[in-house]
Amino acid sequence: MSANPRTDVLPAEPVARSVARKSLHAYDVQRLVEFVKDTGLMPRNIRRRLPPTPRRRGVCHQRAEQARFSRLGFEILSQEAAQDSLGISSSVWLLILPQLNAVNPAVNAAVASLGACYESLVLRSVSAADYRSSLATVQYQKALSELQNEIVLQSHGLVPLFLASIILAAVEVLQRHLINAITHLRGAYQVLTQYICVRSEWFLGYTSKHVGNMVQEIGRRKPSDEVQSLYLIAQALDLQTATYALAQPPDLPPSPPGESMIFSPHTLSLSSLAEPQSHLVPLLHACYHFTSLASQYKYVRRSCVPVEMALNQGRYIASLSQWLIVLNNDRCVSSVEHQSPLTPSKRFNWWALRIQCLSALIYLSTIFDPFEKGYDAFTTCFSQIVEGVAILLETNLGDSPLTRAGNRFRLTSPVSQPLYLVAMKCRHRQLRRAAIRLLVLTGRGGPWDGAIHALVAERAVKLEEQGLDEHDGDPPTAVPSADKTSIPEELRLHGCGVDTDRSQHADSGTIKVIFSRCRDVETMTTSSDLLWNAAENWDIWSETLKTPAGQT
């Protein structure tokens, strides 16, 4: 007769009560294990008193760590919403993300991976070797696995895929793996495009053969707030990538022609003033689409520039100039405040958009000018950028560990690229040094690292000013002027950038920087014997710079 495990091995209730009243010895624990294996049951009063096994303790520890990392990651993204310079992501980070973080494994794992990576690389500044063996690596691998599962299951639609992809792109940026970050972003853009097509097909009653026309149709119809917020976030991220590598076109297509071109002041409304980002982000995005195409004509004779391209340059310059008039007009701000007072975040938003408009206007206006002295005409704009960033950083500093200068990390940075442009292209000594000092305080935003790019800018300044007398050029107290050309054209750098190869960001604590200088701009642009990109026209070299402690 077979033994009954419920009576012969360990009767559940009587023995459980007696065992629970005394400490569990090894023999009692062994009998309990056999009982559980045979019956699949565990008395509740015994389960509460069992000491944690190593496996159980490890699982509990992992869950607690993931919960802690998730809270930290969500706090980082909440800072992104609270200090939203573009005014477009608050609804996503504060409304949509918390819900998906609670129910979707891919989003939850991505947020936890961001928190773990931020803690390891920013708060603790661990080395690359220690990071590869830390919990942050485990969290990232888990996030990738959950994202792959979500791609197959799509249990909550396409929005979790979009958010998880851009959060994992932020994790790659923190690790300085910029190529991997671009891969994640492009995947997010594909998911978003599919999501918009599905939503528009359902809303407009289109069939699959009309998918090619849906993007233009969305531009003619007012999209839902959710779609608009997600697409503006994608455009802002794409815009930042385009400003980091100016010769590369943005990945997302430009907005339809009527959506991003000429802005007419007589059509100005309080709604467009209250939310200028919905108009300016597509405009800036379209501007950098244009500059990526126009840059191939920078070092050719002006007669070789297509007429239509020159006309489009004038249109975009006019649009940006009109928006700058609006953003500079205190009376317009007062009229908006009379209807709906601007909050500090919206005022921050206005300043950030104004700075980005100035930077785009400078770059757009000089896109066909091969001479670096062409930037000297925009010294006043450079001065306004430095002044605006100083105001932003003064109002944006806080006592939270996440907002301190060395610990700041943002998905997007509205001021890093404008400051870097001032440091590299403005030859007024006082302004470019002020820009470098401010650049250090910006922290990290997307691919921009304030400390590292300030180091690169300092080296560029030394290369341009070496051999010049200390008293040449602009004195420290000089008022910015357009006619100050103290640095000769032949000494000015034409290109400067950090090598994005991730092998450069190892434990060596160094980065590789590539510099370029044209040997003779006048001869290059007038000669018909050589192409402008021929090696004979350029001096290109690389230097290895030692980064500040904790920046690799």
Side-chain angles (χ1 to χ4, degrees):
M1 185 174 179
S2 61
N4 185 353
R6 291 184 180 273
T7 57
D8 297 346
V9 177
L10 186 61
E13 291 300 324
V15 176
R17 285 194 294 269
S18 63
V19 172
R21 284 194 294 266
K22 63 181 180 179
S23 61
L24 293 175
H25 299 288
Y27 177 72
D28 298 320
V29 173
Q30 182 64 31
R31 296 183 66 194
L32 278 173
V33 170
E34 293 175 357
F35 171 72
V36 172
K37 287 182 178 179
D38 293 336
T39 64
L41 302 175
M42 172 69 76
R44 285 179 298 178
N45 52 358
I46 294 295
R47 186 167 60 245
R48 288 194 299 265
R49 297 169 187 269
L50 278 176
T53 62
R55 175 181 175 83
R56 186 180 174 193
R57 187 186 303 113
V59 171
C60 293
H61 177 70
Q62 290 179 5
R63 291 177 178 175
E65 286 294 295
Q66 178 162 350
R68 183 172 64 84
F69 291 146
S70 182
R71 288 192 298 270
L72 179 58
F74 187 74
E75 187 176 354
I76 296 171
L77 298 174
S78 298
Q79 292 283 338
E80 183 78 15
Q83 301 172 1
D84 182 13
S85 61
L86 295 175
I88 58 180
S89 62
S90 298
S91 62
V92 175
W93 303 125
L94 297 181
L95 297 179
I96 298 177
L97 181 66
Q99 301 176 53
L100 293 177
N101 187 47
V103 299
N104 188 272
V107 175
N108 180 264
V111 174
S113 178
L114 176 62
C117 183
Y118 181 85
E119 182 184 75
S120 297
L121 297 180
V122 179
L123 297 182
R124 294 184 179 178
S125 299
V126 300
S127 64
D130 293 337
Y131 177 80
R132 286 191 289 269
S133 61
S134 67
L135 283 176
T137 302
V138 177
Q139 288 291 339
Y140 181 70
Q141 293 173 350
K142 180 179 180 181
L144 283 179
S145 177
E146 293 291 352
L147 180 61
Q148 293 171 353
N149 293 336
E150 186 64 24
I151 292 174
V152 177
L153 299 176
Q154 295 188 16
S155 55
H156 297 91
L158 296 173
V159 175
L161 289 176
F162 172 76
L163 292 178
S165 296
I166 62 176
I167 294 173
L168 288 181
V171 176
E172 293 286 4
V173 167
L174 279 172
Q175 301 176 70
R176 307 189 192 283
H177 299 167
L178 300 185
I179 304 301
N180 293 350
I182 291 295
T183 303
H184 281 299
L185 285 179
R186 289 174 177 170
Y189 300 155
Q190 292 180 358
V191 168
L192 183 61
T193 303
Q194 182 180 356
Y195 174 71
I196 292 176
C197 289
V198 171
R199 288 289 296 270
S200 61
E201 183 173 354
W202 171 79
F203 180 74
L204 300 174
Y206 281 172
T207 58
S208 58
K209 65 181 181 180
H210 298 96
V211 169
N213 299 325
M214 286 181 186
V215 174
Q216 293 185 357
E217 186 66 25
I218 291 171
R220 290 192 289 267
R221 298 187 181 217
K222 181 176 176 57
S224 65
D225 293 339
E226 176 189 351
V227 172
Q228 187 181 28
S229 296
L230 293 174
Y231 195 76
L232 286 176
I233 287 176
Q235 274 193 325
L237 293 171
D238 196 28
L239 177 63
Q240 180 171 247
T241 305
T243 57
Y244 187 78
L246 289 172
Q248 298 296 323
D251 290 311
L252 288 173
S255 300
E259 192 78 9
S260 61
M261 285 299 291
I262 297 301
F263 165 77
S264 180
H266 70 268
T267 62
L268 183 64
S269 63
L270 291 179
S271 60
S272 63
L273 280 177
E275 297 182 357
Q277 69 283 345
S278 61
H279 304 272
L280 273 174
V281 172
L283 173 60
L284 293 170
H285 189 261
C287 284
Y288 285 100
H289 261 288
F290 169 77
T291 56
S292 66
L293 296 175
S295 60
Q296 60 184 317
Y297 299 99
K298 184 175 181 68
Y299 297 106
V300 300
R301 284 178 288 186
R302 192 61 184 265
S303 59
C304 298
V305 178
V307 176
E308 184 62 28
M309 190 159 287
L311 292 176
N312 284 335
Q313 181 196 28
R315 294 188 183 105
Y316 283 118
I317 289 175
S319 298
L320 291 173
S321 300
Q322 288 169 341
W323 266 108
L324 282 172
I325 292 174
V326 173
L327 295 173
N328 291 335
N329 195 336
D330 293 335
R331 289 175 296 178
C332 290
V333 177
S334 300
S335 64
V336 175
E337 290 180 340
H338 180 71
Q339 299 291 332
S340 177
L342 289 177
T343 61
S345 61
K346 285 187 176 181
R347 195 174 295 278
F348 182 92
N349 173 26
W350 274 59
W351 274 105
L353 289 173
R354 181 174 179 268
I355 291 168
Q356 289 185 303
C357 276
L358 287 168
S359 175
L361 179 64
I362 295 171
Y363 183 65
L364 184 65
S365 300
T366 58
I367 194 63
F368 294 132
D369 191 348
F371 295 94
E372 287 294 306
K373 287 189 175 182
Y375 288 98
D376 295 339
F378 297 92
T379 308
T380 302
C381 294
F382 288 133
S383 177
Q384 292 176 359
I385 290 175
V386 172
E387 177 188 359
V389 173
I391 294 175
L392 281 184
L393 293 180
E394 183 180 355
T395 59
N396 197 30
L397 292 176
D399 295 330
S400 170
L402 299 181
T403 59
R404 292 171 188 164
N407 296 343
R408 287 201 199 102
F409 175 74
R410 300 276 306 280
L411 297 184
T412 59
S413 176
V415 299
S416 297
Q417 187 271 337
L419 281 177
Y420 189 70
L421 182 69
V422 176
M424 297 301 301
K425 300 301 183 181
C426 176
R427 272 67 183 197
H428 189 281
R429 290 190 174 186
Q430 180 187 11
L431 288 179
R432 71 189 318 188
R433 284 164 174 77
I436 293 174
R437 289 193 297 269
L438 292 174
L439 195 56
V440 177
L441 301 177
T442 58
R444 298 182 62 179
W448 295 96
D449 189 317
I452 287 182
H453 285 91
L455 180 68
V456 174
E458 286 180 352
R459 178 55 184 162
V461 170
K462 290 181 180 179
L463 289 174
E464 288 190 342
E465 296 182 355
Q466 65 183 356
L468 296 179
D469 188 80
E470 294 183 358
H471 301 287
D472 289 346
D474 308 291
T477 58
V479 177
S481 176
D483 59 355
K484 296 290 186 178
T485 55
S486 58
I487 300 178
E489 178 70 28
E490 60 271 14
L491 294 181
R492 301 191 182 196
L493 296 174
H494 287 75
C496 174
V498 180
D499 190 348
T500 57
D501 184 2
R502 65 182 177 184
S503 64
Q504 301 297 327
H505 302 288
D507 290 331
S508 59
T510 60
I511 57 171
K512 182 180 178 181
V513 186
I514 302 175
F515 300 94
S516 65
R517 177 187 285 139
C518 183
R519 295 175 179 174
D520 190 343
V521 179
E522 183 73 29
T523 302
M524 180 182 66
T525 54
T526 57
S527 174
S528 59
D529 298 333
L530 290 175
L531 297 176
W532 68 267
N533 55 359
E536 292 83 352
N537 291 325
W538 297 91
D539 289 325
I540 302 176
W541 72 97
S542 62
E543 297 184 9
T544 300
L545 303 181
K546 186 175 181 180
T547 61
Q551 294 295 327
T552 56

